Amino acid sequence: MKKLFLLGLAISICIACQNQPQRYFADSAETETLKAGIKAYESADWDTWKSHFADTAKIFVNSLKPITVKERVSGLKSMTSAMSSYGFNHDKEYIEMVLDKDDETWVYYWSAHKGTFAATNTELIIPVHLAVQFVNGKIVEEHVYFDGTSMNAEFTKIAVAAAEAEAAESSEE
């Protein structure tokens, strides 16, 4: 009788576990959309990059204050125009889709962004985390997290060198 009870309990547990919906996905339409957006970013195809976002999307870049897709594109264009090469390390990236407790669809992405500044030939490798919410196949919210200290220092160095060169040119005239 004890064995029969334990067998029944084991079967009940197995059935209960099978009724749980899957919450984590390595592959999905949303992960493919995010990968396509990253590819568009890496090739400076801004129209394709923007096409993955809803018109009302909010983007948070190391901030609690959102910016628009248009503002983000402007910032990305400015940043990437200073670089001779840039992109993510696809050999060591991690991406997953999660249905959270509220049944919201989020895709999480971790990788290292590598960029070489054209003016100084300085290469920076910065860990990046993206948390991206999807609704009806479009990105409605994106959170971008990275430590921008070294990148900001490089931009400052470039700006100072440009200002010094301009001052030297003006004094020669």
Side-chain angles (χ1 to χ4, degrees), residues 84-141:
S84 58
S85 65
Y86 64 93
F88 288 95
N89 181 351
H90 297 289
D91 293 335
K92 294 194 178 190
E93 67 187 357
Y94 179 78
I95 189 167
E96 71 176 354
M97 186 187 90
V98 176
L99 295 177
D100 71 10
K101 64 181 175 34
D102 299 321
D103 282 328
E104 293 178 336
T105 302
W106 288 87
V107 174
Y108 299 109
Y109 179 80
W110 294 265
S111 188
H113 184 274
K114 181 175 163 182
T116 302
F117 284 83
T120 61
N121 203 35
T122 301
E123 181 181 272
L124 297 179
I125 300 173
I126 301 171
V128 174
H129 172 63
L130 305 177
V132 183
Q133 183 183 19
F134 283 82
V135 174
N136 297 325
K138 292 284 190 177
I139 298 169
V140 295
E141 196 168 302

Side-chain angles (χ1 to χ4, degrees), residues 4-158:
L4 186 60
F5 174 74
L6 289 175
L7 178 63
L9 183 62
I11 290 171
S12 296
I13 290 171
C14 287
I15 290 171
C17 290
Q18 290 176 354
N19 290 333
Q20 298 296 319
Q22 185 175 352
R23 306 299 258 173
Y24 299 92
F25 304 85
D27 295 308
S28 67
E30 291 82 0
T31 59
E32 292 306 312
T33 297
L34 186 59
K35 288 177 185 178
I38 289 168
K39 183 178 178 184
Y41 159 76
E42 291 175 328
S43 61
D45 183 353
W46 304 115
D47 289 333
T48 298
W49 186 86
K50 290 187 300 188
S51 74
H52 300 294
F53 288 84
D55 294 338
T56 58
K58 295 177 182 168
I59 302 174
F60 301 82
V61 182
N62 287 335
S63 175
L64 297 176
K65 183 183 174 202
I67 60 174
T68 65
V69 172
K70 183 178 179 180
E71 291 169 317
R72 183 64 174 146
V73 167
S74 177
L76 289 173
K77 284 180 178 180
S78 177
M79 178 190 75
T80 58
S81 69
M83 297 182 178
S84 58
S85 65
Y86 64 93
F88 288 95
N89 181 351
H90 297 289
D91 293 335
K92 294 194 178 190
E93 67 187 357
Y94 179 78
I95 189 167
E96 71 176 354
M97 186 187 90
V98 176
L99 295 177
D100 71 10
K101 64 181 175 34
D102 299 321
D103 282 328
E104 293 178 336
T105 302
W106 288 87
V107 174
Y108 299 109
Y109 179 80
W110 294 265
S111 188
H113 184 274
K114 181 175 163 182
T116 302
F117 284 83
T120 61
N121 203 35
T122 301
E123 181 181 272
L124 297 179
I125 300 173
I126 301 171
V128 174
H129 172 63
L130 305 177
V132 183
Q133 183 183 19
F134 283 82
V135 174
N136 297 325
K138 292 284 190 177
I139 298 169
V140 295
E141 196 168 302
E142 179 177 54
H143 298 261
V144 182
Y145 299 105
F146 62 95
D147 180 357
T149 306
S150 58
M151 184 171 56
N152 292 337
E154 195 62 28
F155 276 119
T156 299
K157 191 166 124 181
I158 292 167

